[in-house]
Amino acid sequence: MRKFFQEIKADLKFKTAGPGQKLSEPSRVPKEKPKAEAAPKPRQGPTDEVQMAAAAALARMELKAKAKLPSSQEAIKNQVRKELMAEAAASEKGLSVEEKDLASPDREGAAALSVSGVYFICPLTDAVVRKDKKEKHLREAIQSYFSVDPVAASIMEIHTFNKDREKVRVGVETMAKYLDNICLHPEEEKYWKIKLQNKVFQEKISCLEGIHRFFQAIGFETKTLPTTEEYYVLKKEMLTKLEDLKHYKEQLLSSEPVRAQLDRQLSVFKPSPEAARFELPSDFYNLTAEDIKREQRLRTEAVEKASMLRTRAMREKEEQREMRKYNYTLVRVRFPDGYILQGTFYAREPVSVLYNFVREALRDDWLPFELLGPGGLKLTDENLAFNECGLVPSALLTLAWDAAVMGDIQVSGQEQPASPLKPELLSRVQTLS
C-alpha cells in the first residue's frame, strides 16, 4: 500500500496549507502513456478525494515535528525523579497489600471494570498516578525540587496550589511592584523592607500558599525591628544582584500552574460482543456514592418521564444537569474489522481530540474517516464537547472509512495490512472480559 501512496506523491504536485488555511486544488502532472505490452487494464488514477487526503497528511506531517523539552525542564524531571525514587522505594515497603492493590491499575479485583480508574501523568516526573493521588504526588514532586531551585519550586507552589486564579494574579502583581521598587530605587532603604502586618500585604500576598517560601528563596529574611513589628528585609548582598531580582519577578509573573495530564489509557481489544458493555469506577462520576444510587433509581423512572409533556425550559434544565454529572468519559471506537480502540477523555473536551486520538493510532494517519454514534449518527461538529453530544459517561462509536478513497485503494491492487492500527498497538491487544 505504501508503494501505491508513494506513486501518488510522485504523480501529483501538492500545495500544502499552513495552519488555518484551506488546501488549494491539487493539479495533475502529465504522465507518459503506457507501452503496448502494458497490462490490459491500467490502474485508474487517484480521485480528487485521495489527492486532498494525501495533501492533508503531508501538511500534518510537516506540522507534527515535536520539539524537545528545554534542557531546564529535563533537568527538573531528572532531579525530581531522583529525589522521589528513594522516597518511593521506602514507602513501598510500608504499603499494605490493600494499598498496593489500590495503587495498581492492573489489580485483579478490577477485572470486571472496563477501566480501573482515572489516571494522570505528572509533568515533573512522568509518573502515572491515580486521580486521588494526583495532588499528593505533585506536592511531593515540587517539594523535591526545592533542593535544586528553591525559587522555581516556590513559584510552582504559588501558581499550582492556590485555586483562586484572580487572587493569584493580584498577589503576584503586587509582589512584582515590591520588586520593581527595589530595582528602580536600590539606594532607598524604605523599599528594602515589607511590613508583615501591612493591610495590603495581608490581604493580597500573605494569604497565598508558597509566597513566604518565595520571599526566603529570593533573599528576604524575617526581622523584628525596634518598632517591635515584623518585617521582611532584603539581605544587603541582594542589592548587588538586581538582575537576579528582575529575573525572579518575570518568572513569577509568567509562570503557569503545574497541571497533571490526563492519561488516555489507550487500549486495543479484539472483536467482542461485549464492546457495548461498560462498567465504570466512581472516578468517572462527579457524584457521591449516594448520588450514584439515586441516579440509578431515577433512570428506572425514565420511561414514565418520557411520556410526560415537558416544556422546552424543563428539557434544557434537565440536559444541563445531566451534562454536569460526569467529569470523564470512556470512549470505544470499533473499526470495520471489529478491533476496538479505547481511551479516557474529559467530559468537556471537544470531540476533535477523539479524532486526533484515533488518527494517531493509524498506520496511515492521512486516511479520511468518520465516527458514527448510536443509530449511525455522524459526529460532524468536532467543536462540540463529549457531554454536549451525549457521549458520557461512556460511548461506543463506529469508524467508517471514506468510500471513494477505499475504492481507489482496492483498484490499485496493492496488498493491504490486516489491520489499519499501528503494529505496536496490535502487539499488546487485549480481550474484553
Side-chain angles (χ1 to χ4, degrees):
M1 184 189 295
R2 293 187 180 279
K3 182 178 178 182
F4 168 57
F5 295 142
Q6 289 169 357
E7 291 177 2
I8 293 177
K9 294 172 187 176
D11 291 347
L12 304 173
K13 290 183 179 178
F14 297 103
K15 293 182 180 179
T16 56
Q21 297 178 333
K22 293 184 178 180
L23 289 170
S24 60
E25 189 68 17
S27 59
R28 299 182 181 273
V29 176
K31 295 179 62 178
E32 293 183 4
K33 293 183 179 181
K35 296 181 180 180
E37 61 265 26
K41 185 179 180 181
R43 177 173 64 84
Q44 296 181 9
T47 65
D48 288 345
E49 288 83 355
V50 177
Q51 298 174 33
M52 295 292 286
L58 289 175
R60 284 197 303 274
M61 289 170 67
E62 290 176 0
L63 296 172
K64 207 172 182 180
K66 295 183 178 179
K68 292 185 177 179
L69 288 172
S71 57
S72 59
Q73 279 189 278
E74 287 292 354
I76 291 175
K77 286 190 177 184
N78 291 336
Q79 183 61 33
V80 172
R81 285 195 201 102
K82 184 178 178 181
E83 295 282 342
L84 290 179
M85 280 177 66
E87 295 177 17
S91 61
E92 179 69 17
K93 295 178 182 178
L95 284 177
S96 66
V97 174
E98 182 179 355
E99 287 173 324
K100 288 181 181 179
D101 285 345
L102 286 172
S104 172
D106 300 320
R107 66 186 188 276
E108 190 173 333
L113 294 175
S114 302
V115 66
S116 61
V118 174
Y119 293 83
F120 290 83
I121 303 170
C122 174
L124 298 177
T125 64
D126 286 336
V128 177
V129 294
R130 189 159 180 149
K131 174 188 168 187
D132 56 354
K133 305 290 184 183
K134 177 182 64 172
E135 184 163 339
K136 179 176 181 290
H137 181 88
L138 281 176
R139 285 185 179 277
E140 291 174 349
I142 292 174
Q143 179 63 38
S144 296
Y145 196 59
F146 267 94
S147 62
V148 181
D149 187 342
V151 175
S154 60
I155 291 175
M156 288 180 194
E157 280 191 324
I158 294 168
H159 284 279
T160 303
F161 300 123
N162 294 289
K163 304 305 180 185
D164 189 327
R165 301 308 304 160
E166 179 59 20
K167 279 188 177 181
V168 172
R169 184 190 66 78
V170 172
V172 299
E173 287 180 357
T174 306
M175 183 64 212
K177 290 177 183 177
Y178 283 131
L179 297 180
D180 273 338
N181 286 335
I182 294 171
C183 294
L184 293 173
H185 312 283
E187 71 286 348
E188 297 191 36
E189 189 175 343
K190 67 178 181 179
Y191 292 122
W192 306 351
K193 299 177 292 185
I194 301 173
K195 186 179 178 181
L196 298 187
Q197 297 306 314
N198 177 278
K199 184 178 179 181
V200 172
F201 183 85
Q202 285 290 319
E203 292 180 354
K204 296 183 178 180
I205 296 179
S206 186
C207 58
L208 296 178
E209 180 178 349
I211 198 71
H212 295 288
R213 299 225 265 186
F214 175 72
F215 272 106
Q216 294 164 8
I218 66 174
F220 281 88
E221 55 186 349
T222 307
K223 285 188 178 181
T224 302
L225 298 183
T227 58
T228 70
E229 293 179 311
E230 282 194 316
Y231 284 79
Y232 270 132
V233 180
L234 186 68
K235 296 175 184 178
K236 287 187 177 180
E237 60 263 29
M238 291 305 299
L239 294 174
T240 63
K241 302 177 181 179
L242 296 180
E243 287 303 317
D244 287 347
L245 289 180
K246 291 178 183 178
H247 172 70
Y248 298 151
K249 182 200 74 172
E250 294 302 325
Q251 194 175 352
L252 178 65
L253 289 171
S254 62
S255 292
E256 295 289 336
V258 178
R259 297 292 187 224
Q261 179 184 353
L262 179 64
D263 183 12
R264 298 295 185 201
Q265 299 187 74
L266 185 154
S267 300
V268 177
F269 298 102
K270 295 177 182 177
S272 170
E274 299 294 321
R277 186 180 69 83
F278 290 90
E279 294 292 339
L280 300 176
S282 59
D283 289 5
F284 278 74
Y285 300 88
N286 191 22
L287 304 167
T288 64
E290 289 302 317
D291 289 335
I292 293 174
K293 290 180 181 178
R294 180 169 55 84
E295 291 296 333
Q296 289 174 340
R297 186 181 70 253
L298 291 175
R299 284 181 182 180
T300 62
E301 303 169 5
V303 176
E304 296 178 13
K305 282 189 175 184
S307 63
M308 295 171 57
L309 182 63
R310 294 178 294 164
T311 65
R312 179 179 178 181
M314 291 172 63
R315 290 195 303 271
E316 289 180 350
K317 184 177 180 180
E318 186 172 326
E319 288 171 0
Q320 290 296 321
R321 178 172 170 272
E322 188 74 16
M323 289 197 302
R324 289 193 298 268
K325 288 195 303 189
Y326 311 106
N327 289 329
Y328 310 95
T329 184
L330 187 67
V331 179
R332 288 174 180 163
V333 176
R334 180 158 49 196
F335 283 72
D337 60 3
Y339 276 81
I340 300 159
L341 183 68
Q342 176 177 287
T344 302
F345 303 86
Y346 286 108
R348 294 171 182 81
E349 282 188 282
V351 173
S352 59
V353 302
L354 176 60
Y355 272 86
N356 291 334
F357 176 75
V358 173
R359 193 169 287 114
E360 289 173 1
L362 299 176
R363 288 173 182 260
D364 298 300
D365 63 0
W366 67 269
L367 284 172
F369 62 87
E370 294 178 325
L371 295 178
L372 312 178
L377 182 65
K378 295 181 181 179
L379 299 180
T380 54
D381 190 347
E382 296 185 27
N383 294 318
L384 289 177
F386 287 97
N387 57 5
E388 293 176 317
C389 299
L391 304 178
V392 291
S394 59
L396 173 64
L397 305 178
T398 301
L399 182 143
W401 301 115
D402 182 280
V405 173
M406 297 311 291
D408 281 316
I409 292 175
Q410 291 177 358
V411 167
S412 72
Q414 298 294 322
E415 185 177 351
Q416 299 182 41
S419 173
L421 292 168
K422 291 179 177 177
E424 56 266 32
L425 297 181
L426 293 173
S427 66
R428 50 192 178 96
V429 66
Q430 305 173 53
T431 302
L432 275 173
S433 58

